Amino acid sequence: MRLLALAALLLGAAALLGTLGPRVFDGGSDAVPDATAATPKHIGIPAPPEPKRVAPTIFVAPGATGEDCTAAAPCGSLDAALGKAKPGAGVQLAAGRYGPQILKSDARPAGSAPVVVRPAPGAKVAFEELRCGPWTGDVGAGAFDLGGVTVAGVLIHRCDRVTLRRVTVAGGLFLEGSTNFAMVGGSVGPGADFHPDVSAVYGAQPPIVPRNILFDGVRFHDWQVRTAGKHIECLQISDVQRLTVRGSSFVRCDTFDLHIAGTVGGPVRDVVIEDNFFGATSDHSGVTPAYYSLSVRNGIGVHITRNRSNQAWALPAAGDVVQRWVLSRNVAPMKAYQCDDRITYMHNRWSRAKCGPTDRPTR
């Protein structure tokens, strides 16, 4: 049912909208002090390096029926191309609109070099849907780096070493039980009454929790609640082990910009949120007031550093699991009652608050 609802919502979704506005809460020119040994630059998962340019040996075109995926007789789907591609091969996509791309498990060895998938020079490529793993809980293709395309919706079920690079996701993005996923650049949105989500495979026992998930330089935008009672955010992390959200922006989001809270897999673990911009959230249903820009409700090993926000954050309640948390060099309109003695604070600029000895309140 979720896939059917997603398909309906994604039809006609617009691509990247608007630009970052200038209204940022600013603690002053010295709001973010120099790096210290305790909080070095980029402490999270490193972005996978840009693949070396390789001459394509596999060719894909909309509506094509070739079986060998050659330039003279291209194949019609990315799944067929990945099935033919050797580790490290180049796949070239002809211009045009493609139907849903459903990527089944492939035979390339674990740990092999990623297949590099790119549009032909100057070509504009759009997929109706990219689904890695046919259905929830299924293992799908792995070890590929897809760049420079537009996709109406992305669902990644139990896939390993998938990189989306400068991809415009003009709608929803769902990761379920996947490992070593990276989205570098690009954007996600818009949508209404549902939200992008990183989650475990709930039906498995024990739950299959996503691991090593990276969003680096991604623009999340225009996720709105139209129906009262819906829970919406630009990105929800339901369960994860080792997550980094870096250098990304969250604009025109309802309820939360980024919401992180472990559910069936227990508290989230090893989370880094660094160098992001969080815009103030809103409520387009006209019923529920906006909440907070960043919401992190539990976790073991959480580091939140060098972020700027137009709005206060929601941190764990008294009964939530909080172990090894550090908040450093952030700028946000926080209040003194939100300080938590379970958290280490260093060099932050909060409005009317000083949570740690090196924090500096600002007005």
Side-chain angles (χ1 to χ4, degrees):
M1 292 299 292
R2 184 177 78 172
L3 294 178
L4 292 175
L6 173 61
L9 286 164
L10 292 174
L11 280 174
L16 189 67
L17 296 177
T19 58
L20 253 178
R23 296 180 59 192
V24 182
F25 176 81
D26 188 357
S29 60
D30 61 343
V32 183
D34 292 337
T36 67
T39 54
K41 189 76 171 175
H42 297 335
I43 59 177
I45 300 170
E50 182 85 31
K52 293 181 180 179
R53 185 172 297 180
V54 294
T57 57
I58 305 293
F59 297 85
V60 188
T65 58
E67 296 183 358
D68 294 330
C69 302
T70 62
C75 50
S77 73
L78 183 54
D79 182 61
L82 292 175
K84 290 283 186 182
K86 295 180 179 179
V91 174
Q92 181 170 286
L93 305 170
R97 298 188 65 83
Y98 293 75
Q101 302 297 301
I102 301 175
L103 310 181
K104 300 181 290 293
S105 181
D106 57 66
R108 290 191 304 281
S112 60
V115 175
V116 182
V117 185
R118 296 289 187 271
K124 293 184 178 181
V125 173
F127 294 146
E128 181 180 329
E129 177 185 79
L130 178 67
R131 192 191 310 171
C132 187
W135 299 104
T136 182
D138 289 348
V139 176
F144 67 88
D145 187 306
L146 171 65
V149 304
T150 296
V151 187
V154 173
L155 299 93
I156 308 292
H157 303 304
R158 293 194 65 191
C159 298
D160 182 58
R161 294 199 301 136
V162 172
T163 297
L164 303 182
R165 199 179 296 273
R166 300 178 295 277
V167 169
T168 298
V169 181
L173 182 147
F174 298 95
L175 269 67
E176 181 192 65
S178 292
T179 52
N180 303 304
F181 171 86
M183 185 169 183
V184 182
S187 62
V188 180
D193 282 356
F194 72 105
H195 52 241
D197 198 359
V198 176
S199 66
V201 179
Y202 294 121
Q205 292 298 327
I208 302 171
V209 175
R211 292 181 288 107
N212 301 332
I213 306 299
L214 169 68
F215 294 97
D216 192 331
V218 181
R219 185 171 184 266
F220 294 89
H221 66 97
D222 296 286
W223 287 92
Q224 299 178 354
V225 54
R226 298 294 187 184
T227 304
K230 294 285 187 178
H231 182 79
I232 302 297
E233 44 268 315
C234 271
L235 177 62
Q236 174 170 291
I237 309 294
S238 298
D239 290 283
V240 75
Q241 294 181 8
R242 198 166 185 239
L243 164 77
T244 296
V245 181
R246 174 192 302 123
S248 297
S249 62
F250 296 79
V251 292
R252 294 188 297 277
C253 308
D254 279 359
T255 311
F256 298 121
D257 288 336
L258 171 62
H259 176 59
I260 302 175
T263 59
V264 299
V268 298
R269 291 177 176 267
D270 301 320
V271 170
V272 173
I273 304 167
E274 58 182 359
D275 299 301
N276 302 288
F277 169 76
F278 296 103
T281 60
S282 55
D283 168 48
H284 284 78
S285 74
V287 176
T288 304
Y291 290 108
Y292 302 91
S293 59
L294 173 64
S295 168
V296 189
R297 309 318 300 268
N298 57 43
I300 299 172
V302 174
H303 201 133
I304 304 173
T305 183
R306 294 185 307 272
N307 301 281
R308 289 176 177 266
S309 178
N310 276 348
Q311 193 176 38
W313 296 346
L315 298 176
D320 293 324
V321 174
V322 177
Q323 297 179 24
R324 303 195 311 275
W325 280 51
V326 178
L327 271 64
S328 62
R329 305 197 307 281
N330 301 288
V331 181
M334 299 281 277
K335 301 295 178 63
Y337 72 86
Q338 295 175 290
C339 299
D340 188 330
D341 59 11
R342 297 172 295 175
I343 297 174
T344 298
Y345 299 90
M346 297 188 300
H347 302 292
N348 300 286
R349 292 295 300 271
W350 309 127
S351 61
R352 304 179 186 277
K354 183 176 180 180
C355 297
T358 57
D359 287 355
R360 293 177 59 194
T362 185
R363 296 181 184 275

